[in-house]
Amino acid sequence: MTDELLFFNGIDGSTGEYLLPPMAVGDLAKVAAGDKMDSATLRELEDRMRIIQEGMYEIAEGYDPLDISQAGWGVIFPAIWDDADLVTVREALGELLDHRKRQAGEYYKEYTGLDGYKPGERKDEF
């Protein structure tokens, strides 16, 4: 089989990306035959189907996605950092974080500790 990718009809109007990821001919043949997909491909397709069914987490209509005071802003820190590491990095980023907090106001969010990124966590698990 060829390594050539198939591109399917359908474009996501908000991102300009394909609704379904490009797929190798062999992978499409496996799906058509009812074979199981590799877990990463299956997860990606499930994520895209969920987005299509539930909608993306886009900013509500009438709000400017380029205006941080309307769109919001956040930063994600590793969950495994101890307080000293977090303090060190926050101090290094302090000017930026303070600036964004002033801009975003109530729509500013920091994810730290248990809310932070955990090692090995996938985007759909976060």
Side-chain angles (χ1 to χ4, degrees), residues 42-112:
L42 182 59
R43 237 187 344 266
E44 182 71 22
L45 290 174
E46 287 171 343
D47 286 346
R48 289 180 184 262
M49 181 57 82
R50 180 184 43 75
I51 288 169
I52 290 167
Q53 290 173 338
E54 298 174 9
M56 296 180 69
Y57 296 108
E58 297 175 350
I59 190 166
E61 189 172 335
Y63 292 90
D64 183 355
L66 302 177
D67 182 349
I68 290 176
S69 70
Q70 295 179 35
W73 195 87
V75 59
I76 303 168
F77 293 103
I80 60 170
W81 277 359
D82 60 32
D83 289 341
D85 290 336
L86 183 60
V87 167
T88 301
V89 172
R90 281 200 92 264
E91 284 178 4
L93 295 174
E95 201 171 312
L96 169 65
L97 298 179
D98 291 342
H99 177 68
R100 292 299 190 207
K101 190 172 190 174
R102 282 191 304 276
Q103 288 180 311
E106 66 180 299
Y107 299 116
Y108 175 85
K109 175 75 175 168
E110 287 187 18
Y111 296 87
T112 61

Side-chain angles (χ1 to χ4, degrees), residues 6-49:
L6 298 174
F7 292 80
F8 303 95
N9 286 336
I11 301 290
D12 182 329
S14 63
T15 66
E17 296 180 11
Y18 290 100
L19 285 175
L20 292 175
M23 188 179 296
V25 173
D27 290 338
L28 181 59
K30 288 178 185 177
V31 172
D35 292 347
K36 290 188 176 187
M37 299 177 133
D38 66 90
S39 61
T41 302
L42 182 59
R43 237 187 344 266
E44 182 71 22
L45 290 174
E46 287 171 343
D47 286 346
R48 289 180 184 262
M49 181 57 82

Side-chain angles (χ1 to χ4, degrees), residues 78-81 116-122 125:
I80 60 170
W81 277 359
Y117 172 78
K118 296 159 192 71
E121 191 172 44
R122 296 187 322 258
E125 295 171 327

